Amino acid sequence: MTHPDAATPMMIGTAGWSIPREASDAFAGAGSHLERYARVMPAAEINSSFHRPHRRSTYARWAASTPDRFRFSVKIPRTISHQHKLADTDALLDGFLEEAGGLGAKLGVVLLQLPPSLAFDPAIAPGFLESLRRRLAPHVHITCEPRHASWLAADAEACLVEHRVARVAADPARAEGGERTGGWPGLRYHRLHGSPRMYYSSYDDSYLAALAATMAAGAQAQAQVWCIFDNTASGAATGDALRLRALLG
């Protein structure tokens, strides 16, 4: 894997940094799970921020536990995406980003996952994305995982591009086209939940080989490329991430 600021970055990791017993040999050595994980993998996604706040000092401790090259993706709280549905969120954004700012330069991406019922609303989405973008340092990217088909239409796509927001390539996809990256092309973010059984199933060799080719093409196009495995319930994510990393050399 290359450094996240290099010409062809490739950031592979899992949602969280637990190390299942069957993968423990790949993360040998002393230290916390995060310290051991970060010696091998270049990135991780923090999902717990979706459900509850963390102190800024907690984020700072996580950052201090990882090498300089390491980067985190942090999921935007559900209070913003699911409860407020992107409206009237200035105070909530300020609170979340003050906390996550404890990661410092290791905050690489903020992830906005939307509820399946939330359609693209041209009266709300552009203002929210502008508000979010304005609050972030230039090096921090935004990616959105919409789960309503309207977010794949031309007007939504144009809105994402305008505000430098990438659209997640998800598996399984909730709408046709959702399996491909979209939006702003400077970031290609793959988020794999496991299929056919979400959160449990591992991916076979042919799927990972095709994914590796897609990611390599994104890196060749000078995009920053991320792949996060969210099939963590059975521990499959860690093995899949290690296999993909090996395929990409």
Side-chain angles (χ1 to χ4, degrees):
M1 299 306 94
T2 58
H3 188 280
D5 297 323
T8 56
M10 204 83 70
M11 307 300 285
I12 298 170
T14 61
W17 43 81
S18 61
I19 300 173
R21 183 179 304 172
E22 56 270 24
S24 60
D25 287 350
F27 301 91
S32 67
H33 272 223
L34 176 55
E35 288 169 331
R36 293 166 58 204
Y37 171 97
R39 286 197 292 264
V40 177
M41 306 304 295
E45 187 181 275
I46 298 173
N47 271 225
S48 53
S49 54
F50 179 73
H51 300 285
R52 63 185 185 279
H54 298 298
R55 295 178 179 176
R56 185 181 177 93
S57 60
T58 299
Y59 284 107
R61 174 167 51 82
W62 289 337
S65 299
T66 60
D68 289 345
R69 59 159 175 83
F70 196 85
R71 293 295 181 271
F72 292 91
S73 172
V74 185
K75 195 172 182 180
I76 289 176
R78 62 177 295 126
T79 51
I80 293 172
S81 57
H82 288 56
Q83 296 176 16
H84 281 249
K85 302 184 188 300
L86 311 184
D88 302 318
T89 60
D90 283 355
L92 293 169
L93 279 175
D94 286 341
F96 164 63
L97 294 175
E98 167 62 24
E99 295 161 359
L103 293 173
K106 292 179 181 177
L107 174 58
V109 178
V110 292
L111 165 67
L112 174 67
Q113 185 189 60
L114 300 176
S117 60
L118 187 61
F120 175 75
D121 185 341
I124 293 177
F128 171 81
L129 295 176
E130 170 60 30
S131 180
L132 176 58
R133 168 58 60 202
R134 189 172 62 247
R135 286 168 164 80
L136 294 173
H139 73 275
V140 181
H141 296 316
I142 305 169
T143 192
C144 178
E145 184 178 7
R147 292 180 287 173
H148 190 282
S150 61
W151 284 86
L152 280 78
D155 56 344
E157 182 79 359
C159 177
L160 294 175
V161 171
E162 179 181 356
H163 294 95
R164 293 181 62 233
V165 177
R167 192 184 71 243
V168 165
D171 181 77
R174 296 294 187 99
E176 184 178 355
E179 72 280 5
R180 299 186 297 272
T181 57
W184 181 62
L187 172 67
R188 314 283 177 91
Y189 198 102
H190 302 263
R191 201 158 185 261
L192 308 179
H193 303 289
S195 59
R197 188 184 181 194
M198 284 186 70
Y199 310 122
Y200 286 87
S201 295
S202 61
Y203 289 92
D204 62 28
D205 290 342
S206 61
Y207 183 95
L208 293 179
L211 174 61
T214 298
M215 292 174 63
Q220 286 290 329
Q222 303 300 305
Q224 187 174 118
V225 182
W226 282 63
C227 181
I228 296 294
F229 289 92
D230 188 36
N231 49 340
T232 56
S234 65
T238 308
D240 286 348
L242 289 168
R243 289 159 61 215
L244 178 62
R245 182 176 178 273
L247 285 169
L248 287 165

